[in-house]
C-alpha cells in the first residue's frame, strides 16, 4: 500500500444512523472537497443497528486525491454514565450537588465497551475504570463502591 498525502484529519461526533449533508457533516467534509453522500450512506449503514440518539465519534482522514478513510469509536464515557444513572445531563455544580448514582458494576461494563477502542488498547483495566470514575465525578454522578441500596431517582410531578 502506497502512502497517500494527507490533506486533513477531521473529528466529528454524529448521532448513529443520522448522518446527512447538513451541519456538522456537510461543512466539515465539503470544505475539503470530499464526497459527502458517500460518507453519509456508509456511516448510516454501519450504525443502523444502534439506537438513533447514540453519539458516535468519527475520525476521518482526507487525502489530497479527494479520497478519505474513516473509523468510528465507541460513544463517550459520559454518554454511558448518563444512561446508567438515568439522567439527561450532569450536575450544574459537580462536587457540591450529586445528580445521580451508578455502581462499580456499571463502571466496569462501561470500561468493557471502551476497551474495544484503539485509544484504550494499551490501558490497564484499573486505569480505565479510574478514568470512568473520574468522568462520573466531574459530571456530579456518585459512584457507589460499597454494596448498599441505591436511591431511586425522584419522579417529577
Amino acid at each position: 500500500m502506497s502512502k497517500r498525502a494527507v490533506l486533513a484529519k477531521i473529528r466529528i461526533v454524529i448521532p448513529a444512523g443520522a448522518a446527512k449533508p447538513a451541519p456538522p457533516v456537510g461543512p466539515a467534509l465539503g470544505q475539503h472537497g470530499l464526497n459527502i453522500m458517500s460518507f453519509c450512506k456508509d456511516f448510516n449503514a454501519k450504525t443502523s443497528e444502534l439506537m438513533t440518539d447514540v453519539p458516535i465519534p468519527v475520525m476521518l482522514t482526507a487525502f489530497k486525491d479527494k479520497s478519505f478513510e474513516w473509523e468510528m469509536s465507541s460513544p463517550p464515557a459520559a454518554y454511558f454514565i448518563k444512561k446508567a444513572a438515568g439522567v439527561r445531563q450532569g450536575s450544574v455544580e459537580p462536587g457540591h450537588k450529586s445528580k445521580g448514582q451508578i455502581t462499580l458494576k456499571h463502571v466496569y461494563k462501561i470500561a468493557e465497551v471502551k476497551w474495544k477502542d484503539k485509544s484504550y488498547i494499551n490501558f490497564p483495566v484499573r486505569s480505565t475504570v479510574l478514568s470512568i470514575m473520574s468522568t462520573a465525578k466531574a459530571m456530579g454522578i456518585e459512584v457507589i463502591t460499597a454494596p448498599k441500596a441505591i436511591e431511586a431517582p425522584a419522579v417529577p410531578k
Side-chain angles (χ1 to χ4, degrees), residues 6-27:
V6 174
L7 177 65
K9 289 203 177 254
I10 305 164
R11 295 188 65 169
I12 23 179
V13 178
I14 310 167
K20 48 189 171 268
V25 178

Side-chain angles (χ1 to χ4, degrees), residues 21 27-28 34 54 61 67 73 77 82 84 90 92 100 103 120 127 135 139 147 149 154:
L34 304 177
V54 178
T61 305
S67 63
S73 55
K82 287 188 285 188
V92 179
T103 64
Y120 281 86
S127 297
T135 301
M139 295 172 62

Side-chain angles (χ1 to χ4, degrees), residues 120-148:
Y120 281 86
I121 205 155
N122 293 323
F123 271 50
V125 176
R126 185 172 192 272
S127 297
T128 306
V129 168
L130 288 174
S131 171
I132 293 167
M133 289 174 72
S134 297
T135 301
K137 182 178 179 183
M139 295 172 62
I141 307 293
E142 183 183 356
V143 177
I144 307 296
T145 55
K148 67 177 184 178

Side-chain angles (χ1 to χ4, degrees), residues 7 13 15 33 44 52 68 77 89 110 117:
L7 177 65
V13 178
N44 290 338
T52 55
F68 60 89
Q89 68 180 32
I110 295 168
D117 280 355

Side-chain angles (χ1 to χ4, degrees), residues 14-20 40 43-48 50-52 54 56:
I14 310 167
K20 48 189 171 268
C40 291
F43 178 83
N44 290 338
K46 270 194 173 179
T47 59
S48 61
L50 299 175
M51 291 176 17
T52 55
V54 178
I56 305 292

Side-chain angles (χ1 to χ4, degrees), residues 71-150:
E71 61 183 55
M72 302 183 311
S73 55
S74 64
Y79 169 78
F80 290 120
I81 291 167
K82 287 188 285 188
K83 286 292 183 186
V87 297
R88 287 183 17 164
Q89 68 180 32
S91 175
V92 179
E93 297 178 38
H96 299 285
K97 292 183 181 176
S98 179
K99 185 78 176 217
Q101 300 173 331
I102 61 174
T103 64
L104 272 179
K105 185 175 183 177
H106 290 122
V107 172
Y108 186 76
K109 291 290 184 185
I110 295 168
E112 282 181 335
V113 173
K114 296 306 279 179
W115 287 328
K116 295 175 185 171
D117 280 355
K118 273 169 92 173
S119 58
Y120 281 86
I121 205 155
N122 293 323
F123 271 50
V125 176
R126 185 172 192 272
S127 297
T128 306
V129 168
L130 288 174
S131 171
I132 293 167
M133 289 174 72
S134 297
T135 301
K137 182 178 179 183
M139 295 172 62
I141 307 293
E142 183 183 356
V143 177
I144 307 296
T145 55
K148 67 177 184 178
I150 295 180

Side-chain angles (χ1 to χ4, degrees), residues 58-70:
V58 176
M59 175 58 95
L60 195 134
T61 305
F63 300 103
K64 291 197 185 237
D65 63 356
K66 303 300 179 198
S67 63
F68 60 89
E69 293 175 354
W70 62 280

